[in-house]
């Protein structure tokens, strides 16, 4: 793997680091062809949000963690971009929750699945993370979806009651909600269909979300479910931040 040479003092260090991680992941065959386009859209929204975690995003992150902790069968779903940007942190969170990770990709090919499993297995062994990684041999389907994107595992996504699905497609988000699950998405675009469909939407960058969730766990700052949480209100708060940033130029 080629090394990353940007200086941490560079004002765009995090952005450069994320791009580097995705370039490397693409070379390893982990990503969908459109992964960098999706990332670019995310970057544009992140710029508008101020490239930092807003108070409402942190509130959604805490509520999401509380729901995952309270779930009977929680699961964390990983796609290509999420694996490259936050694979380590999300496996550590799954280890704490004692829940499986399911590699579940929209543009499914055997080559990509193998590359993603190779990458995750390496991190798992290097850091001695005790987590069950599903998704290699899906044995059922998400009702209402057609094609390879419907495939999932009975032991994982299918039977879950609470699911964290970062950077999810709108149709699949809708189908998971229709199955009666508590669906938690991470999406920098507060106007996306997934953002509007989900039970809890965290409008923040996936690596920041995963780090902050892991930090809550590691510092034992464990949240409880916020009964008053209103996803639409939380989304509106992100839209207001974007509108305010436009006005302040
Ligand atoms: O690995 P696969 O095959 O499952 O494919 C993954 C991608 C992301 C390519 C696929 O799901 C896709 O095409 O996604 P979309 O429909 O482009 O949606 C991605 C959403 O995630 C967009 O609304 C982006 O704003 C948002 N996004 C992109 N990068 C990030 C992000 N949100 C949070 N953190 C990011 N780093």
């Amino acid at each position: 793997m080629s090394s990353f040479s940007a200086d941490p003092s560079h004002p765009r260090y995090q952005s450069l680091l994320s791009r580097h991680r995705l370039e490397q992941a693409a070379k390893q065959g982990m990503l969908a062809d459109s992964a960098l386009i999706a990332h670019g859209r995310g970057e544009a929204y992140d710029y508008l949000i101020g490239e930092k975690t807003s108070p409402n995003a942190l509130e959604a992150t805490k509520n999401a963690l509380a729901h995952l902790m309270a779930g009977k069968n929680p699961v964390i779903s990983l796609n290509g971009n999420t694996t490259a940007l936050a694979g380590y942190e999300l496996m550590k969170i799954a280890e704490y929750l004692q829940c499986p990770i399911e590699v579940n990709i929209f543009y499914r090919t055997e080559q990509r699945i193998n590359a993603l499993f190779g990458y995750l297995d390496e991190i798992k062994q290097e850091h001695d993370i005790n987590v069950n990684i599903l998704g290699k041999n899906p044995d059922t389907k998400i009702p209402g979806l057609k094609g390879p994107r419907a495939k999932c595992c009975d032991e994982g996504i299918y039977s879950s009651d609470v699911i964290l699905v970062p950077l999810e497609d709108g149709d699949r988000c809708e189908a998971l909600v229709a199955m009666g699950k508590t669906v938690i998405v991470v999406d920098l675009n507060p106007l996306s269909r997934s953002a509007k469909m989900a039970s809890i939407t965290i409008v923040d960058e996936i690596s920041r979300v995963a780090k902050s969730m892991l930090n809550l766990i590691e510092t034992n700052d464990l949240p409880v479910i916020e009964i008053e949480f209103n996803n639409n209100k939380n989304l509106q708060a992100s839209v207001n931040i974007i509108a305010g940033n436009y006005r302040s130029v």
Side-chain angles (χ1 to χ4, degrees), residues 30 32 34-35 38-39 41-43 45 79-81 85 104-108 112 167-169 172 186-189 192 204-206:
M30 289 160 50
S34 56
H39 185 73
R41 177 157 54 180
E43 275 193 340
Y45 275 101
N79 66 13
N81 292 43
L85 294 173
N104 194 273
I105 56 180
F106 191 81
Y107 301 102
R108 190 182 176 96
R112 282 190 64 206
L167 281 62
E168 181 58 309
D169 141 84
R172 258 200 337 202
V186 178
D187 195 329
L188 278 159
N189 176 4
S192 76
D204 199 0
E205 204 281 320
I206 183 58

PDB file of all heavy atoms in Angstrom, residues 30 32 34-35 38-39 41-43 45 79-81 85 104-108 112 167-169 172 186-189 192 204-206, ligand 1:
ATOM      1  N   MET A  30     -12.082  -2.982  -3.611  1.00  0.00           N
ATOM      2  CA  MET A  30     -13.145  -3.013  -2.604  1.00  0.00           C
ATOM      3  C   MET A  30     -14.366  -2.167  -2.982  1.00  0.00           C
ATOM      4  O   MET A  30     -15.454  -2.351  -2.434  1.00  0.00           O
ATOM      5  CB  MET A  30     -12.600  -2.489  -1.257  1.00  0.00           C
ATOM      6  CG  MET A  30     -11.628  -3.434  -0.583  1.00  0.00           C
ATOM      7  SD  MET A  30     -10.576  -2.626   0.654  1.00  0.00           S
ATOM      8  CE  MET A  30     -11.720  -1.736   1.666  1.00  0.00           C
ATOM      9  N   ALA A  32     -17.249   0.164  -5.295  1.00  0.00           N
ATOM     10  CA  ALA A  32     -18.097   0.236  -6.492  1.00  0.00           C
ATOM     11  C   ALA A  32     -17.482   1.260  -7.446  1.00  0.00           C
ATOM     12  O   ALA A  32     -16.778   2.175  -7.004  1.00  0.00           O
ATOM     13  CB  ALA A  32     -19.505   0.690  -6.082  1.00  0.00           C
ATOM     14  N   SER A  34     -18.856   3.660  -8.798  1.00  0.00           N
ATOM     15  CA  SER A  34     -19.363   5.009  -8.516  1.00  0.00           C
ATOM     16  C   SER A  34     -19.007   5.494  -7.103  1.00  0.00           C
ATOM     17  O   SER A  34     -19.507   6.540  -6.661  1.00  0.00           O
ATOM     18  CB  SER A  34     -20.880   5.028  -8.695  1.00  0.00           C
ATOM     19  OG  SER A  34     -21.449   4.045  -7.864  1.00  0.00           O
ATOM     20  N   ALA A  35     -18.144   4.771  -6.411  1.00  0.00           N
ATOM     21  CA  ALA A  35     -17.856   5.099  -5.005  1.00  0.00           C
ATOM     22  C   ALA A  35     -17.283   6.507  -4.839  1.00  0.00           C
ATOM     23  O   ALA A  35     -17.637   7.222  -3.897  1.00  0.00           O
ATOM     24  CB  ALA A  35     -16.886   4.073  -4.427  1.00  0.00           C
ATOM     25  N   ALA A  38     -19.965   9.130  -5.223  1.00  0.00           N
ATOM     26  CA  ALA A  38     -20.760   9.206  -3.987  1.00  0.00           C
ATOM     27  C   ALA A  38     -19.979   9.968  -2.913  1.00  0.00           C
ATOM     28  O   ALA A  38     -20.541  10.806  -2.193  1.00  0.00           O
ATOM     29  CB  ALA A  38     -21.107   7.804  -3.501  1.00  0.00           C
ATOM     30  N   HIS A  39     -18.669   9.707  -2.838  1.00  0.00           N
ATOM     31  CA  HIS A  39     -17.854  10.399  -1.826  1.00  0.00           C
ATOM     32  C   HIS A  39     -17.803  11.902  -2.126  1.00  0.00           C
ATOM     33  O   HIS A  39     -17.877  12.722  -1.207  1.00  0.00           O
ATOM     34  CB  HIS A  39     -16.442   9.813  -1.792  1.00  0.00           C
ATOM     35  CG  HIS A  39     -15.615  10.404  -0.696  1.00  0.00           C
ATOM     36  ND1 HIS A  39     -15.808  10.113   0.630  1.00  0.00           N
ATOM     37  CD2 HIS A  39     -14.616  11.331  -0.735  1.00  0.00           C
ATOM     38  CE1 HIS A  39     -14.958  10.808   1.372  1.00  0.00           C
ATOM     39  NE2 HIS A  39     -14.227  11.565   0.568  1.00  0.00           N
ATOM     40  N   ARG A  41     -20.042  13.708  -3.591  1.00  0.00           N
ATOM     41  CA  ARG A  41     -21.301  14.333  -3.167  1.00  0.00           C
ATOM     42  C   ARG A  41     -21.285  14.539  -1.644  1.00  0.00           C
ATOM     43  O   ARG A  41     -21.668  15.592  -1.144  1.00  0.00           O
ATOM     44  CB  ARG A  41     -22.496  13.458  -3.561  1.00  0.00           C
ATOM     45  CG  ARG A  41     -23.792  14.042  -3.072  1.00  0.00           C
ATOM     46  CD  ARG A  41     -25.001  13.585  -3.843  1.00  0.00           C
ATOM     47  NE  ARG A  41     -25.107  12.141  -3.907  1.00  0.00           N
ATOM     48  CZ  ARG A  41     -26.095  11.506  -4.528  1.00  0.00           C
ATOM     49  NH1 ARG A  41     -27.017  12.191  -5.142  1.00  0.00           N
ATOM     50  NH2 ARG A  41     -26.137  10.197  -4.543  1.00  0.00           N
ATOM     51  N   GLY A  42     -20.804  13.539  -0.937  1.00  0.00           N
ATOM     52  CA  GLY A  42     -20.694  13.660   0.523  1.00  0.00           C
ATOM     53  C   GLY A  42     -19.785  14.826   0.904  1.00  0.00           C
ATOM     54  O   GLY A  42     -20.124  15.624   1.779  1.00  0.00           O
ATOM     55  N   GLU A  43     -18.643  14.952   0.239  1.00  0.00           N
ATOM     56  CA  GLU A  43     -17.696  16.038   0.543  1.00  0.00           C
ATOM     57  C   GLU A  43     -18.347  17.401   0.350  1.00  0.00           C
ATOM     58  O   GLU A  43     -18.110  18.327   1.126  1.00  0.00           O
ATOM     59  CB  GLU A  43     -16.487  15.959  -0.392  1.00  0.00           C
ATOM     60  CG  GLU A  43     -15.399  15.017   0.071  1.00  0.00           C
ATOM     61  CD  GLU A  43     -14.111  15.228  -0.722  1.00  0.00           C
ATOM     62  OE1 GLU A  43     -14.178  15.795  -1.836  1.00  0.00           O
ATOM     63  OE2 GLU A  43     -13.059  14.829  -0.227  1.00  0.00           O
ATOM     64  N   TYR A  45     -21.512  18.193   0.605  1.00  0.00           N
ATOM     65  CA  TYR A  45     -22.409  18.471   1.738  1.00  0.00           C
ATOM     66  C   TYR A  45     -21.613  18.743   3.013  1.00  0.00           C
ATOM     67  O   TYR A  45     -21.985  19.593   3.825  1.00  0.00           O
ATOM     68  CB  TYR A  45     -23.403  17.325   1.948  1.00  0.00           C
ATOM     69  CG  TYR A  45     -24.612  17.465   1.061  1.00  0.00           C
ATOM     70  CD1 TYR A  45     -24.736  16.720  -0.100  1.00  0.00           C
ATOM     71  CD2 TYR A  45     -25.614  18.383   1.359  1.00  0.00           C
ATOM     72  CE1 TYR A  45     -25.827  16.874  -0.932  1.00  0.00           C
ATOM     73  CE2 TYR A  45     -26.707  18.546   0.538  1.00  0.00           C
ATOM     74  CZ  TYR A  45     -26.815  17.790  -0.608  1.00  0.00           C
ATOM     75  OH  TYR A  45     -27.890  17.964  -1.427  1.00  0.00           O
ATOM     76  N   ASN A  79     -20.779  -1.227   3.684  1.00  0.00           N
ATOM     77  CA  ASN A  79     -20.586  -1.249   2.230  1.00  0.00           C
ATOM     78  C   ASN A  79     -19.122  -0.907   1.923  1.00  0.00           C
ATOM     79  O   ASN A  79     -18.291  -0.844   2.849  1.00  0.00           O
ATOM     80  CB  ASN A  79     -21.598  -0.329   1.535  1.00  0.00           C
ATOM     81  CG  ASN A  79     -21.381   1.139   1.863  1.00  0.00           C
ATOM     82  OD1 ASN A  79     -20.345   1.530   2.408  1.00  0.00           O
ATOM     83  ND2 ASN A  79     -22.358   1.947   1.548  1.00  0.00           N
ATOM     84  N   GLY A  80     -18.827  -0.671   0.653  1.00  0.00           N
ATOM     85  CA  GLY A  80     -17.431  -0.440   0.282  1.00  0.00           C
ATOM     86  C   GLY A  80     -16.859   0.826   0.903  1.00  0.00           C
ATOM     87  O   GLY A  80     -15.826   0.787   1.593  1.00  0.00           O
ATOM     88  N   ASN A  81     -17.530   1.963   0.696  1.00  0.00           N
ATOM     89  CA  ASN A  81     -17.016   3.240   1.211  1.00  0.00           C
ATOM     90  C   ASN A  81     -16.871   3.208   2.733  1.00  0.00           C
ATOM     91  O   ASN A  81     -15.870   3.675   3.285  1.00  0.00           O
ATOM     92  CB  ASN A  81     -17.977   4.389   0.847  1.00  0.00           C
ATOM     93  CG  ASN A  81     -18.004   4.674  -0.634  1.00  0.00           C
ATOM     94  OD1 ASN A  81     -18.036   3.732  -1.428  1.00  0.00           O
ATOM     95  ND2 ASN A  81     -17.998   5.931  -1.042  1.00  0.00           N
ATOM     96  N   LEU A  85     -13.511   3.745   5.047  1.00  0.00           N
ATOM     97  CA  LEU A  85     -13.381   4.957   5.867  1.00  0.00           C
ATOM     98  C   LEU A  85     -13.511   4.691   7.365  1.00  0.00           C
ATOM     99  O   LEU A  85     -12.991   5.459   8.171  1.00  0.00           O
ATOM    100  CB  LEU A  85     -14.442   5.990   5.445  1.00  0.00           C
ATOM    101  CG  LEU A  85     -14.271   6.558   4.033  1.00  0.00           C
ATOM    102  CD1 LEU A  85     -15.458   7.439   3.664  1.00  0.00           C
ATOM    103  CD2 LEU A  85     -12.972   7.356   3.926  1.00  0.00           C
ATOM    104  N   ASN A 104     -22.656  -5.848   3.180  1.00  0.00           N
ATOM    105  CA  ASN A 104     -23.845  -5.872   2.330  1.00  0.00           C
ATOM    106  C   ASN A 104     -23.715  -4.728   1.342  1.00  0.00           C
ATOM    107  O   ASN A 104     -23.871  -3.569   1.707  1.00  0.00           O
ATOM    108  CB  ASN A 104     -25.085  -5.722   3.210  1.00  0.00           C
ATOM    109  CG  ASN A 104     -26.327  -6.072   2.437  1.00  0.00           C
ATOM    110  OD1 ASN A 104     -26.902  -5.232   1.764  1.00  0.00           O
ATOM    111  ND2 ASN A 104     -26.728  -7.331   2.488  1.00  0.00           N
ATOM    112  N   ILE A 105     -23.399  -5.071   0.108  1.00  0.00           N
ATOM    113  CA  ILE A 105     -23.080  -4.007  -0.848  1.00  0.00           C
ATOM    114  C   ILE A 105     -24.146  -3.896  -1.929  1.00  0.00           C
ATOM    115  O   ILE A 105     -24.781  -4.881  -2.313  1.00  0.00           O
ATOM    116  CB  ILE A 105     -21.670  -4.188  -1.456  1.00  0.00           C
ATOM    117  CG1 ILE A 105     -21.485  -5.556  -2.116  1.00  0.00           C
ATOM    118  CG2 ILE A 105     -20.621  -3.958  -0.395  1.00  0.00           C
ATOM    119  CD1 ILE A 105     -20.114  -5.765  -2.732  1.00  0.00           C
ATOM    120  N   PHE A 106     -24.310  -2.680  -2.399  1.00  0.00           N
ATOM    121  CA  PHE A 106     -25.332  -2.391  -3.404  1.00  0.00           C
ATOM    122  C   PHE A 106     -24.920  -2.989  -4.748  1.00  0.00           C
ATOM    123  O   PHE A 106     -25.705  -3.662  -5.404  1.00  0.00           O
ATOM    124  CB  PHE A 106     -25.481  -0.867  -3.499  1.00  0.00           C
ATOM    125  CG  PHE A 106     -26.656  -0.432  -4.292  1.00  0.00           C
ATOM    126  CD1 PHE A 106     -27.923  -0.415  -3.730  1.00  0.00           C
ATOM    127  CD2 PHE A 106     -26.512  -0.027  -5.602  1.00  0.00           C
ATOM    128  CE1 PHE A 106     -29.021  -0.011  -4.456  1.00  0.00           C
ATOM    129  CE2 PHE A 106     -27.609   0.384  -6.342  1.00  0.00           C
ATOM    130  CZ  PHE A 106     -28.866   0.387  -5.774  1.00  0.00           C
ATOM    131  N   TYR A 107     -23.674  -2.724  -5.157  1.00  0.00           N
ATOM    132  CA  TYR A 107     -23.158  -3.259  -6.425  1.00  0.00           C
ATOM    133  C   TYR A 107     -22.358  -4.522  -6.103  1.00  0.00           C
ATOM    134  O   TYR A 107     -21.145  -4.473  -5.921  1.00  0.00           O
ATOM    135  CB  TYR A 107     -22.277  -2.219  -7.126  1.00  0.00           C
ATOM    136  CG  TYR A 107     -23.015  -0.934  -7.418  1.00  0.00           C
ATOM    137  CD1 TYR A 107     -22.839   0.195  -6.617  1.00  0.00           C
ATOM    138  CD2 TYR A 107     -23.899  -0.844  -8.493  1.00  0.00           C
ATOM    139  CE1 TYR A 107     -23.523   1.375  -6.876  1.00  0.00           C
ATOM    140  CE2 TYR A 107     -24.594   0.341  -8.752  1.00  0.00           C
ATOM    141  CZ  TYR A 107     -24.398   1.439  -7.944  1.00  0.00           C
ATOM    142  OH  TYR A 107     -25.072   2.607  -8.197  1.00  0.00           O
ATOM    143  N   ARG A 108     -23.091  -5.658  -6.003  1.00  0.00           N
ATOM    144  CA  ARG A 108     -22.469  -6.872  -5.475  1.00  0.00           C
ATOM    145  C   ARG A 108     -21.756  -7.675  -6.559  1.00  0.00           C
ATOM    146  O   ARG A 108     -22.352  -8.042  -7.572  1.00  0.00           O
ATOM    147  CB  ARG A 108     -23.554  -7.746  -4.827  1.00  0.00           C
ATOM    148  CG  ARG A 108     -22.991  -8.903  -4.048  1.00  0.00           C
ATOM    149  CD  ARG A 108     -24.073  -9.785  -3.455  1.00  0.00           C
ATOM    150  NE  ARG A 108     -23.395 -10.896  -2.821  1.00  0.00           N
ATOM    151  CZ  ARG A 108     -23.096 -10.957  -1.531  1.00  0.00           C
ATOM    152  NH1 ARG A 108     -23.465 -10.010  -0.719  1.00  0.00           N
ATOM    153  NH2 ARG A 108     -22.439 -11.983  -1.038  1.00  0.00           N
ATOM    154  N   ARG A 112     -15.529  -8.123  -5.321  1.00  0.00           N
ATOM    155  CA  ARG A 112     -15.589  -7.070  -4.292  1.00  0.00           C
ATOM    156  C   ARG A 112     -15.788  -7.681  -2.909  1.00  0.00           C
ATOM    157  O   ARG A 112     -15.157  -7.257  -1.935  1.00  0.00           O
ATOM    158  CB  ARG A 112     -16.728  -6.086  -4.587  1.00  0.00           C
ATOM    159  CG  ARG A 112     -16.398  -5.090  -5.673  1.00  0.00           C
ATOM    160  CD  ARG A 112     -17.458  -4.008  -5.729  1.00  0.00           C
ATOM    161  NE  ARG A 112     -17.482  -3.238  -4.500  1.00  0.00           N
ATOM    162  CZ  ARG A 112     -18.550  -2.582  -4.018  1.00  0.00           C
ATOM    163  NH1 ARG A 112     -19.675  -2.601  -4.682  1.00  0.00           N
ATOM    164  NH2 ARG A 112     -18.476  -1.920  -2.889  1.00  0.00           N
ATOM    165  N   LEU A 167     -24.506   5.308   4.671  1.00  0.00           N
ATOM    166  CA  LEU A 167     -24.488   5.579   3.219  1.00  0.00           C
ATOM    167  C   LEU A 167     -25.410   4.628   2.453  1.00  0.00           C
ATOM    168  O   LEU A 167     -25.025   4.009   1.464  1.00  0.00           O
ATOM    169  CB  LEU A 167     -23.057   5.448   2.669  1.00  0.00           C
ATOM    170  CG  LEU A 167     -22.073   6.593   2.882  1.00  0.00           C
ATOM    171  CD1 LEU A 167     -21.802   6.866   4.339  1.00  0.00           C
ATOM    172  CD2 LEU A 167     -20.770   6.330   2.178  1.00  0.00           C
ATOM    173  N   GLU A 168     -26.633   4.530   2.919  1.00  0.00           N
ATOM    174  CA  GLU A 168     -27.567   3.557   2.343  1.00  0.00           C
ATOM    175  C   GLU A 168     -28.359   4.146   1.186  1.00  0.00           C
ATOM    176  O   GLU A 168     -28.627   5.344   1.144  1.00  0.00           O
ATOM    177  CB  GLU A 168     -28.516   3.057   3.459  1.00  0.00           C
ATOM    178  CG  GLU A 168     -29.533   2.025   3.047  1.00  0.00           C
ATOM    179  CD  GLU A 168     -28.925   0.758   2.463  1.00  0.00           C
ATOM    180  OE1 GLU A 168     -28.092   0.846   1.551  1.00  0.00           O
ATOM    181  OE2 GLU A 168     -29.293  -0.337   2.915  1.00  0.00           O
ATOM    182  N   ASP A 169     -28.745   3.282   0.261  1.00  0.00           N
ATOM    183  CA  ASP A 169     -29.569   3.685  -0.869  1.00  0.00           C
ATOM    184  C   ASP A 169     -31.036   3.811  -0.398  1.00  0.00           C
ATOM    185  O   ASP A 169     -31.464   3.092   0.512  1.00  0.00           O
ATOM    186  CB  ASP A 169     -29.356   2.604  -1.949  1.00  0.00           C
ATOM    187  CG  ASP A 169     -30.609   2.272  -2.689  1.00  0.00           C
ATOM    188  OD1 ASP A 169     -30.912   2.993  -3.633  1.00  0.00           O
ATOM    189  OD2 ASP A 169     -31.283   1.302  -2.315  1.00  0.00           O
ATOM    190  N   ARG A 172     -33.443   0.639  -0.470  1.00  0.00           N
ATOM    191  CA  ARG A 172     -33.148  -0.391   0.541  1.00  0.00           C
ATOM    192  C   ARG A 172     -33.516   0.107   1.932  1.00  0.00           C
ATOM    193  O   ARG A 172     -34.024  -0.654   2.763  1.00  0.00           O
ATOM    194  CB  ARG A 172     -31.680  -0.814   0.474  1.00  0.00           C
ATOM    195  CG  ARG A 172     -31.555  -2.120  -0.234  1.00  0.00           C
ATOM    196  CD  ARG A 172     -30.331  -2.885  -0.002  1.00  0.00           C
ATOM    197  NE  ARG A 172     -29.177  -2.142   0.446  1.00  0.00           N
ATOM    198  CZ  ARG A 172     -27.942  -2.600   0.280  1.00  0.00           C
ATOM    199  NH1 ARG A 172     -27.742  -3.745  -0.335  1.00  0.00           N
ATOM    200  NH2 ARG A 172     -26.916  -1.927   0.725  1.00  0.00           N
ATOM    201  N   VAL A 186     -26.393   6.958   8.154  1.00  0.00           N
ATOM    202  CA  VAL A 186     -25.453   8.079   8.237  1.00  0.00           C
ATOM    203  C   VAL A 186     -25.391   8.640   6.832  1.00  0.00           C
ATOM    204  O   VAL A 186     -25.068   7.910   5.892  1.00  0.00           O
ATOM    205  CB  VAL A 186     -24.051   7.599   8.687  1.00  0.00           C
ATOM    206  CG1 VAL A 186     -23.066   8.762   8.720  1.00  0.00           C
ATOM    207  CG2 VAL A 186     -24.122   6.886  10.027  1.00  0.00           C
ATOM    208  N   ASP A 187     -25.739   9.901   6.670  1.00  0.00           N
ATOM    209  CA  ASP A 187     -25.758  10.495   5.334  1.00  0.00           C
ATOM    210  C   ASP A 187     -25.540  11.994   5.459  1.00  0.00           C
ATOM    211  O   ASP A 187     -26.301  12.676   6.162  1.00  0.00           O
ATOM    212  CB  ASP A 187     -27.108  10.193   4.651  1.00  0.00           C
ATOM    213  CG  ASP A 187     -27.069  10.443   3.151  1.00  0.00           C
ATOM    214  OD1 ASP A 187     -26.314  11.331   2.712  1.00  0.00           O
ATOM    215  OD2 ASP A 187     -27.813   9.756   2.432  1.00  0.00           O
ATOM    216  N   LEU A 188     -24.509  12.493   4.787  1.00  0.00           N
ATOM    217  CA  LEU A 188     -24.214  13.926   4.856  1.00  0.00           C
ATOM    218  C   LEU A 188     -25.264  14.759   4.137  1.00  0.00           C
ATOM    219  O   LEU A 188     -25.329  15.968   4.333  1.00  0.00           O
ATOM    220  CB  LEU A 188     -22.830  14.193   4.261  1.00  0.00           C
ATOM    221  CG  LEU A 188     -21.674  13.921   5.234  1.00  0.00           C
ATOM    222  CD1 LEU A 188     -20.364  13.707   4.483  1.00  0.00           C
ATOM    223  CD2 LEU A 188     -21.541  15.047   6.242  1.00  0.00           C
ATOM    224  N   ASN A 189     -26.063  14.126   3.300  1.00  0.00           N
ATOM    225  CA  ASN A 189     -27.105  14.851   2.575  1.00  0.00           C
ATOM    226  C   ASN A 189     -28.432  14.731   3.326  1.00  0.00           C
ATOM    227  O   ASN A 189     -29.092  13.689   3.268  1.00  0.00           O
ATOM    228  CB  ASN A 189     -27.236  14.265   1.159  1.00  0.00           C
ATOM    229  CG  ASN A 189     -28.367  14.901   0.383  1.00  0.00           C
ATOM    230  OD1 ASN A 189     -29.007  15.839   0.867  1.00  0.00           O
ATOM    231  ND2 ASN A 189     -28.618  14.390  -0.814  1.00  0.00           N
ATOM    232  N   SER A 192     -31.567  13.558   1.206  1.00  0.00           N
ATOM    233  CA  SER A 192     -31.643  12.289   0.467  1.00  0.00           C
ATOM    234  C   SER A 192     -32.870  11.484   0.899  1.00  0.00           C
ATOM    235  O   SER A 192     -33.406  11.688   2.002  1.00  0.00           O
ATOM    236  CB  SER A 192     -30.375  11.457   0.689  1.00  0.00           C
ATOM    237  OG  SER A 192     -30.404  10.858   1.966  1.00  0.00           O
ATOM    238  N   ASP A 204     -23.808  13.467   9.242  1.00  0.00           N
ATOM    239  CA  ASP A 204     -22.401  13.693   9.614  1.00  0.00           C
ATOM    240  C   ASP A 204     -21.541  12.746   8.778  1.00  0.00           C
ATOM    241  O   ASP A 204     -22.058  11.805   8.166  1.00  0.00           O
ATOM    242  CB  ASP A 204     -22.220  13.409  11.116  1.00  0.00           C
ATOM    243  CG  ASP A 204     -20.958  14.042  11.697  1.00  0.00           C
ATOM    244  OD1 ASP A 204     -20.206  14.709  10.952  1.00  0.00           O
ATOM    245  OD2 ASP A 204     -20.717  13.850  12.902  1.00  0.00           O
ATOM    246  N   GLU A 205     -20.252  12.974   8.806  1.00  0.00           N
ATOM    247  CA  GLU A 205     -19.319  12.170   8.003  1.00  0.00           C
ATOM    248  C   GLU A 205     -19.068  10.833   8.720  1.00  0.00           C
ATOM    249  O   GLU A 205     -18.880  10.803   9.937  1.00  0.00           O
ATOM    250  CB  GLU A 205     -18.027  12.977   7.821  1.00  0.00           C
ATOM    251  CG  GLU A 205     -17.214  12.606   6.624  1.00  0.00           C
ATOM    252  CD  GLU A 205     -16.402  11.365   6.865  1.00  0.00           C
ATOM    253  OE1 GLU A 205     -15.865  11.215   7.980  1.00  0.00           O
ATOM    254  OE2 GLU A 205     -16.310  10.527   5.950  1.00  0.00           O
ATOM    255  N   ILE A 206     -19.077   9.734   7.974  1.00  0.00           N
ATOM    256  CA  ILE A 206     -19.052   8.407   8.600  1.00  0.00           C
ATOM    257  C   ILE A 206     -17.822   8.177   9.493  1.00  0.00           C
ATOM    258  O   ILE A 206     -17.947   7.567  10.557  1.00  0.00           O
ATOM    259  CB  ILE A 206     -19.205   7.258   7.558  1.00  0.00           C
ATOM    260  CG1 ILE A 206     -19.240   5.885   8.245  1.00  0.00           C
ATOM    261  CG2 ILE A 206     -18.163   7.294   6.471  1.00  0.00           C
ATOM    262  CD1 ILE A 206     -20.312   5.673   9.253  1.00  0.00           C
TER     263      ILE A 206
HETATM  264  O1  LIG B   1     -20.327  -0.411  -1.771  1.00  0.00           O
HETATM  265  P1  LIG B   1     -21.678  -0.348  -2.420  1.00  0.00           P
HETATM  266  O2  LIG B   1     -21.788  -1.181  -3.648  1.00  0.00           O
HETATM  267  O3  LIG B   1     -22.790  -0.656  -1.435  1.00  0.00           O
HETATM  268  O4  LIG B   1     -21.909   1.169  -2.918  1.00  0.00           O
HETATM  269  C1  LIG B   1     -21.735   2.243  -2.006  1.00  0.00           C
HETATM  270  C2  LIG B   1     -22.171   3.589  -2.640  1.00  0.00           C
HETATM  271  C3  LIG B   1     -21.932   4.687  -1.604  1.00  0.00           C
HETATM  272  C4  LIG B   1     -21.347   3.851  -3.885  1.00  0.00           C
HETATM  273  C5  LIG B   1     -23.676   3.466  -3.018  1.00  0.00           C
HETATM  274  O5  LIG B   1     -24.422   3.105  -1.884  1.00  0.00           O
HETATM  275  C6  LIG B   1     -24.195   4.735  -3.621  1.00  0.00           C
HETATM  276  O6  LIG B   1     -24.201   4.962  -4.824  1.00  0.00           O
HETATM  277  O7  LIG B   1     -24.649   5.623  -2.729  1.00  0.00           O
HETATM  278  P2  LIG B   1     -25.403   6.989  -3.121  1.00  0.00           P
HETATM  279  O8  LIG B   1     -26.799   6.667  -3.579  1.00  0.00           O
HETATM  280  O9  LIG B   1     -24.544   7.842  -3.975  1.00  0.00           O
HETATM  281  O10 LIG B   1     -25.543   7.658  -1.721  1.00  0.00           O
HETATM  282  C7  LIG B   1     -24.464   7.936  -0.927  1.00  0.00           C
HETATM  283  C8  LIG B   1     -24.903   8.993   0.093  1.00  0.00           C
HETATM  284  O11 LIG B   1     -23.910   9.012   1.086  1.00  0.00           O
HETATM  285  C9  LIG B   1     -24.966  10.413  -0.521  1.00  0.00           C
HETATM  286  O12 LIG B   1     -26.157  11.043  -0.089  1.00  0.00           O
HETATM  287  C10 LIG B   1     -23.745  11.133   0.052  1.00  0.00           C
HETATM  288  O13 LIG B   1     -24.019  12.471   0.353  1.00  0.00           O
HETATM  289  C11 LIG B   1     -23.466  10.354   1.322  1.00  0.00           C
HETATM  290  N1  LIG B   1     -22.045  10.244   1.667  1.00  0.00           N
HETATM  291  C12 LIG B   1     -21.006  10.066   0.814  1.00  0.00           C
HETATM  292  N2  LIG B   1     -19.845   9.987   1.497  1.00  0.00           N
HETATM  293  C13 LIG B   1     -20.170  10.092   2.814  1.00  0.00           C
HETATM  294  C14 LIG B   1     -21.577  10.255   2.925  1.00  0.00           C
HETATM  295  N3  LIG B   1     -22.207  10.375   4.103  1.00  0.00           N
HETATM  296  C15 LIG B   1     -21.429  10.308   5.211  1.00  0.00           C
HETATM  297  N4  LIG B   1     -20.078  10.153   5.180  1.00  0.00           N
HETATM  298  C16 LIG B   1     -19.422  10.031   4.017  1.00  0.00           C
HETATM  299  N5  LIG B   1     -18.095   9.864   4.001  1.00  0.00           N
END
